[in-house]
Amino acid sequence: MVLGLTLSFVVGLLVGGLAIHVGASLIVGSSSYSKALITAAVAWFAWAVVSLFVGWLPLLGPVVGLLVYVGVINVQYDAGWLKAGAVAFVAWVTSLLALALLRTLSLGVEVVGVPGV
C-alpha cells in the first residue's frame, strides 16, 4: 500500500512538473524541468497548507489556494501575476491531457502540484 501511494505521488509529481514546464516554456519562454519539478512540489505543499487552514471556507478557500499557487509560480519564474496565471492555466490544461492519456493506459494517478486536476 505504501509503495503504491509513493509511486502514485512520484508519477503525479512528474506529470505536474511536466505540465508546469510546458506552461512556463510557452508563456515565459524558458524553463528547466528540474525547476518545474521544484515548483510543482512547493505548489503542492503550499496548496496543502492553505487547504488545511482555509480550504473548508466556501469560495474563500479555493480562491486563496489559487492565489497562493499562482504566487508560487510568480516567485519561481519572476513572471508577474498575469503571466504566472497564464502558466498556471496552461499547466492545468496540460495536466488534463496527460491524465487522459494515462487513463487510456489504465494508470490511475493524480497530478501533484497543479490544483483542480
Side-chain angles (χ1 to χ4, degrees):
M1 182 169 150
V2 173
L3 179 63
L5 290 173
T6 303
L7 183 60
S8 179
F9 176 80
V10 169
V11 170
L13 183 61
L14 293 173
V15 172
L18 176 65
I20 292 173
H21 174 68
V22 169
S25 295
L26 290 174
I27 304 300
V28 180
S30 66
S31 172
S32 69
Y33 184 62
S34 59
K35 185 175 187 174
L37 277 174
I38 292 168
T39 304
V42 171
W44 169 80
F45 181 76
W47 184 271
V49 169
V50 167
S51 293
L52 178 67
F53 289 107
V54 296
W56 54 273
L57 294 170
L59 192 59
L60 181 64
V63 169
V64 171
L66 187 59
L67 286 174
V68 167
Y69 172 68
V70 173
V72 168
I73 293 172
N74 184 22
V75 168
Q76 282 289 94
Y77 290 100
D78 194 28
W81 285 94
L82 190 60
K83 285 185 179 180
V87 169
F89 179 74
V90 171
W92 179 71
V93 171
T94 304
S95 295
L96 289 177
L97 294 172
L99 277 180
L101 176 66
L102 289 173
R103 287 191 179 127
T104 62
L105 301 172
S106 296
L107 298 174
V109 296
E110 299 292 324
V111 174
V112 175
V114 179
V117 179

